[in-house]
Amino acid sequence: MFPIRDHNPSGRTPYVTYALIAANVVIFLGYWLVLPSEETLNWFFFRFGLVPAAVTSGQGWAGFLTSMFLHGGWMHLFGNMLFLYIFGDNLEDLMGHVGFLVFYLAAGLAAAAGQVLADPWSPLPMVGASGAIAGVMGGYLLLFPRAKVDVLIIFVIFFRIFPIPAWIMLGLWFGLQLISGLSAPSDMGGVAYWAHSGGFLAGLVFTLPFWLRKGGPAFWSVTHGQPPHPHPDYALQRSRIPTVRRKR
């Protein structure tokens, strides 16, 4: 199950989302096409990725930030940037450009902290924007649980695209991260499931103030968890996302 787009257009140009995608792509090309061997690439990841054992020993703190802009391969990069492209614009629409950038970085830092807490003595470097993007997905789930997301489902000999509610797609994704994190051996490299889970939960928490500012449960009662649309009880602001106008 692979998301390819959502039915939730943004009301403003998501400059920060585009800039984050561009930064990740440029940084990836900057080292992936230049480093001559797998050994030097591994050294680069140990130097600029997040190594939990180093952090636990009081070193490598810069990796909390630098690891967010590194990726282990083309598909790792493509998958993360696709998720950011699909879900990032709507949160930027709500939070504003600067607010969304702060939110994204904070979610990434929280995700990295979650991975360190889950496996504090791991000597393996963690790289990728997945934790920050998981935070974006968590915030999206809070705001638009019933927005339609087109997902590509590939069977053995054919494929189809199905529109499903965001809460199903994002809920399944989060459940898989928890199950995988609980079942995966702590000494095995691969996907940082606890960073994904931590980032997702952090995104939910960090989005709460914006959701409450829009009316909280009243926002849901009017939108029914779907993308905003014209309605007499809406008071449109600079963002396309409305604030519920409370009656006195």
Side-chain angles (χ1 to χ4, degrees):
M1 186 173 66
F2 201 73
I4 57 175
R5 61 177 173 263
D6 67 342
H7 298 264
N8 191 359
S10 175
R12 70 175 92 188
T13 303
Y15 294 113
V16 172
T17 298
Y18 293 160
L20 287 170
I21 292 173
N24 277 277
V25 171
V26 169
I27 291 172
F28 176 80
L29 294 175
Y31 64 82
W32 193 262
L33 299 180
V34 172
L35 297 179
S37 66
E38 185 174 349
E39 289 185 1
T40 55
L41 187 62
N42 288 336
W43 171 86
F44 182 81
F45 286 152
F46 274 99
R47 176 66 179 81
F48 295 102
L50 178 71
V51 182
V55 172
T56 304
S57 301
Q59 303 173 0
W61 292 94
F64 274 94
L65 180 63
T66 57
S67 64
M68 274 191 265
F69 295 91
L70 307 179
H71 291 84
W74 291 98
M75 290 307 298
H76 189 201
L77 174 70
F78 173 77
N80 277 345
M81 296 305 101
L82 176 62
F83 274 71
L84 179 56
Y85 176 78
I86 292 173
F87 300 111
D89 61 333
N90 300 112
L91 262 69
E92 186 173 346
D93 194 10
L94 169 68
M95 299 175 179
H97 305 306
V98 175
F100 176 70
L101 178 60
V102 173
F103 167 86
Y104 179 89
L105 295 175
L109 294 174
Q115 186 66 28
V116 171
L117 291 173
D119 194 5
W121 296 108
S122 172
L124 303 176
M126 183 187 76
V127 298
S130 307
I133 296 168
V136 172
M137 294 162 65
Y140 191 100
L141 176 61
L142 178 62
L143 293 169
F144 313 112
R146 295 183 63 187
K148 288 294 187 292
V149 179
D150 287 345
V151 297
L152 176 66
I153 299 179
I154 302 176
F155 299 93
V156 177
I157 58 175
F158 66 95
F159 65 88
R160 286 197 63 182
I161 296 174
F162 296 90
I164 63 173
W167 71 268
I168 294 178
M169 182 258 151
L170 297 175
L172 285 173
W173 182 89
F174 179 65
L176 287 173
Q177 307 313 303
L178 283 179
I179 294 172
S180 300
L182 291 170
S183 60
S186 61
D187 59 347
M188 180 181 295
V191 180
Y193 294 110
W194 291 115
H196 293 178
S197 301
F200 191 91
L201 293 174
L204 279 171
V205 173
F206 295 160
T207 308
L208 272 174
F210 299 94
W211 177 67
L212 292 172
R213 190 180 305 164
K214 293 297 177 182
F219 177 75
W220 272 351
S221 67
V222 173
T223 65
H224 304 292
Q226 298 179 359
H229 53 80
H231 188 283
D233 286 338
Y234 284 172
L236 292 176
Q237 300 177 343
R238 289 181 58 195
S239 167
R240 176 179 171 273
I241 299 177
T243 299
V244 176
R245 182 183 296 155
R246 292 183 173 86
K247 296 181 181 179
R248 296 188 179 183

Coordinates of all heavy atoms in Angstrom, one line a residue, residues 109-152:
L109 N 13.6 16.1 15.7 CA 14.4 16.0 16.9 C 13.8 15.0 17.9 O 14.4 14.2 18.5 CB 14.6 17.3 17.5 CG 15.5 18.3 16.7 CD1 15.4 19.7 17.4 CD2 16.9 17.8 16.5
A110 N 12.4 15.1 18.0 CA 11.7 14.2 18.9 C 11.8 12.7 18.4 O 12.0 11.8 19.2 CB 10.3 14.6 19.0
A111 N 11.8 12.6 17.1 CA 11.9 11.2 16.5 C 13.2 10.6 16.8 O 13.4 9.4 17.2 CB 11.6 11.2 15.0
A112 N 14.3 11.4 16.6 CA 15.6 11.0 16.9 C 15.8 10.6 18.4 O 16.4 9.6 18.8 CB 16.7 12.0 16.5
A113 N 15.2 11.4 19.3 CA 15.3 11.1 20.7 C 14.6 9.8 21.0 O 15.0 9.1 21.9 CB 14.7 12.3 21.5
G114 N 13.5 9.6 20.4 CA 12.7 8.3 20.6 C 13.6 7.1 20.2 O 13.6 6.1 20.9
Q115 N 14.3 7.2 19.1 CA 15.2 6.1 18.7 C 16.3 5.9 19.7 O 16.7 4.8 20.0 CB 15.8 6.4 17.3 CG 16.6 5.2 16.7 CD 15.7 4.0 16.5 OE1 14.5 4.1 16.2 NE2 16.3 2.8 16.5
V116 N 16.9 7.0 20.2 CA 18.0 6.9 21.2 C 17.5 6.3 22.5 O 18.1 5.4 23.1 CB 18.6 8.3 21.5 CG1 19.6 8.2 22.6 CG2 19.3 8.8 20.2
L117 N 16.3 6.7 22.9 CA 15.7 6.1 24.2 C 15.4 4.7 24.0 O 15.5 3.9 25.0 CB 14.5 6.9 24.6 CG 14.7 8.3 25.0 CD1 13.4 9.0 25.2 CD2 15.5 8.3 26.3
A118 N 14.9 4.3 22.8 CA 14.6 2.9 22.6 C 15.8 1.9 22.5 O 15.7 0.8 22.9 CB 13.8 2.7 21.3
D119 N 16.9 2.4 22.0 CA 18.1 1.6 21.9 C 19.3 2.5 22.1 O 20.1 2.8 21.2 CB 18.1 1.0 20.5 CG 19.1 -0.1 20.3 OD1 19.7 -0.5 21.4 OD2 19.3 -0.6 19.2
P120 N 19.6 2.8 23.4 CA 20.6 3.9 23.7 C 22.0 3.4 23.4 O 22.9 4.3 23.3 CB 20.4 4.1 25.2 CG 19.8 2.9 25.7 CD 18.9 2.4 24.6
W121 N 22.3 2.1 23.3 CA 23.7 1.7 23.1 C 23.9 1.1 21.7 O 24.9 0.5 21.4 CB 24.1 0.7 24.1 CG 24.1 1.3 25.5 CD1 23.2 1.0 26.5 CD2 25.0 2.2 26.0 NE1 23.5 1.8 27.6 CE2 24.6 2.5 27.3 CE3 26.1 2.9 25.5 CZ2 25.3 3.4 28.1 CZ3 26.8 3.8 26.3 CH2 26.4 4.0 27.6
S122 N 23.0 1.4 20.8 CA 23.2 1.0 19.4 C 24.4 1.7 18.7 O 24.5 2.9 18.8 CB 21.9 1.2 18.6 OG 22.2 0.9 17.2
P123 N 25.3 1.0 18.1 CA 26.4 1.6 17.4 C 26.1 1.9 16.0 O 27.0 2.4 15.3 CB 27.5 0.5 17.5 CG 26.7 -0.8 17.4 CD 25.4 -0.5 18.1
L124 N 24.9 1.7 15.5 CA 24.5 1.9 14.1 C 24.0 3.3 13.9 O 23.2 3.8 14.7 CB 23.5 0.9 13.7 CG 23.8 -0.6 13.9 CD1 22.6 -1.5 13.5 CD2 25.0 -1.0 13.1
P125 N 24.5 3.9 12.9 CA 24.0 5.3 12.6 C 22.6 5.3 12.0 O 22.2 4.4 11.2 CB 25.0 5.8 11.6 CG 25.5 4.6 10.8 CD 25.5 3.5 11.9
M126 N 21.8 6.3 12.4 CA 20.5 6.5 11.9 C 20.5 7.7 11.0 O 21.0 8.7 11.3 CB 19.5 6.7 13.0 CG 18.0 6.8 12.5 SD 16.9 7.3 13.8 CE 17.2 9.1 14.0
V127 N 20.0 7.5 9.7 CA 19.9 8.6 8.8 C 18.5 8.6 8.2 O 17.8 7.6 8.1 CB 20.9 8.5 7.7 CG1 22.3 8.6 8.2 CG2 20.8 7.2 6.9
G128 N 18.0 9.8 7.7 CA 16.8 9.9 7.0 C 15.8 10.9 7.6 O 15.9 11.2 8.8
A129 N 15.0 11.4 6.8 CA 14.0 12.4 7.2 C 12.7 11.7 7.7 O 11.7 12.4 7.9 CB 13.6 13.4 6.0
S130 N 12.7 10.4 7.8 CA 11.5 9.7 8.1 C 10.8 10.1 9.4 O 9.6 10.2 9.5 CB 11.8 8.2 8.1 OG 12.4 7.7 7.0
G131 N 11.6 10.4 10.4 CA 11.0 10.8 11.7 C 10.3 12.1 11.6 O 9.2 12.2 12.1
A132 N 10.9 13.1 11.0 CA 10.3 14.4 10.8 C 9.0 14.3 10.0 O 8.0 14.9 10.3 CB 11.2 15.4 10.2
I133 N 9.1 13.5 8.9 CA 7.9 13.3 8.0 C 6.8 12.5 8.7 O 5.6 12.7 8.5 CB 8.4 12.6 6.7 CG1 9.3 13.5 6.0 CG2 7.2 12.3 5.8 CD1 10.0 12.9 4.8
A134 N 7.2 11.6 9.6 CA 6.2 10.9 10.4 C 5.5 11.9 11.3 O 4.3 11.7 11.5 CB 6.9 9.8 11.3
G135 N 6.2 12.9 11.8 CA 5.5 13.9 12.6 C 4.5 14.7 11.7 O 3.4 15.0 12.2
V136 N 4.8 15.0 10.5 CA 3.9 15.6 9.5 C 2.7 14.7 9.4 O 1.5 15.2 9.3 CB 4.6 15.8 8.2 CG1 3.6 16.3 7.1 CG2 5.7 16.9 8.3
M137 N 2.9 13.4 9.2 CA 1.7 12.5 9.1 C 0.9 12.5 10.3 O -0.4 12.4 10.2 CB 2.3 11.1 8.8 CG 3.0 11.0 7.4 SD 4.1 9.6 7.2 CE 2.9 8.2 7.3
G138 N 1.5 12.5 11.5 CA 0.7 12.6 12.7 C -0.2 13.8 12.8 O -1.3 13.7 13.2
G139 N 0.4 15.0 12.4 CA -0.4 16.2 12.4 C -1.5 16.2 11.4 O -2.6 16.6 11.7
Y140 N -1.2 15.6 10.3 CA -2.2 15.5 9.2 C -3.4 14.6 9.7 O -4.6 14.9 9.5 CB -1.6 14.9 8.0 CG -2.5 14.9 6.7 CD1 -2.2 15.9 5.8 CD2 -3.5 14.0 6.5 CE1 -3.0 15.9 4.6 CE2 -4.2 14.0 5.4 CZ -4.0 15.0 4.4 OH -4.7 15.0 3.3
L141 N -3.1 13.5 10.4 CA -4.1 12.6 10.9 C -5.0 13.4 11.9 O -6.3 13.2 11.9 CB -3.5 11.4 11.6 CG -4.5 10.5 12.3 CD1 -5.4 9.9 11.3 CD2 -3.7 9.4 13.0
L142 N -4.5 14.2 12.7 CA -5.3 15.0 13.7 C -6.2 16.0 13.0 O -7.4 16.1 13.4 CB -4.4 15.7 14.7 CG -5.1 16.6 15.7 CD1 -6.0 15.8 16.6 CD2 -4.1 17.4 16.5
L143 N -5.7 16.6 11.9 CA -6.5 17.7 11.3 C -7.5 17.1 10.3 O -8.6 17.6 10.1 CB -5.6 18.7 10.6 CG -4.7 19.5 11.6 CD1 -3.6 20.2 10.8 CD2 -5.5 20.5 12.3
F144 N -7.1 16.1 9.5 CA -7.9 15.7 8.4 C -8.0 14.2 8.3 O -7.6 13.5 7.4 CB -7.2 16.1 7.0 CG -6.8 17.6 7.0 CD1 -5.5 17.9 7.0 CD2 -7.7 18.6 7.0 CE1 -5.0 19.2 7.0 CE2 -7.3 19.9 7.0 CZ -6.0 20.2 7.0
P145 N -8.6 13.6 9.4 CA -8.7 12.1 9.5 C -9.5 11.5 8.3 O -9.2 10.3 8.0 CB -9.3 11.9 10.8 CG -10.1 13.1 11.1 CD -9.2 14.2 10.6
R146 N -10.4 12.2 7.7 CA -11.2 11.6 6.7 C -10.9 12.2 5.3 O -11.7 11.9 4.3 CB -12.7 11.9 7.0 CG -13.2 11.1 8.3 CD -14.6 11.3 8.5 NE -15.5 10.7 7.5 CZ -16.8 10.9 7.4 NH1 -17.4 11.6 8.3 NH2 -17.4 10.4 6.4
A147 N -9.8 12.9 5.1 CA -9.4 13.3 3.8 C -9.1 12.0 3.0 O -8.5 11.1 3.5 CB -8.1 14.2 3.9
K148 N -9.4 12.1 1.7 CA -9.1 10.9 0.9 C -7.7 10.9 0.4 O -7.2 11.9 -0.1 CB -10.1 11.0 -0.3 CG -11.5 10.6 0.0 CD -11.7 9.2 0.5 CE -13.1 8.8 0.7 NZ -13.8 9.5 1.8
V149 N -7.1 9.8 0.5 CA -5.7 9.5 0.1 C -5.7 8.4 -1.0 O -6.2 7.3 -0.7 CB -4.7 9.2 1.2 CG1 -3.3 9.0 0.7 CG2 -4.8 10.3 2.3
D150 N -5.2 8.7 -2.1 CA -5.1 7.6 -3.2 C -3.9 6.8 -2.9 O -2.8 7.3 -2.8 CB -5.0 8.2 -4.6 CG -6.3 8.8 -5.0 OD1 -7.4 8.6 -4.4 OD2 -6.3 9.6 -6.0
V151 N -4.1 5.5 -2.7 CA -3.0 4.6 -2.5 C -2.9 3.6 -3.6 O -3.9 3.1 -4.2 CB -3.2 3.8 -1.1 CG1 -3.1 4.8 0.0 CG2 -4.4 3.0 -1.1
L152 N -1.7 3.2 -3.9 CA -1.4 2.2 -5.0 C -1.2 0.9 -4.3 O -0.4 0.7 -3.4 CB -0.2 2.6 -5.7 CG 0.3 1.6 -6.8 CD1 -0.7 1.5 -7.9 CD2 1.7 2.0 -7.3

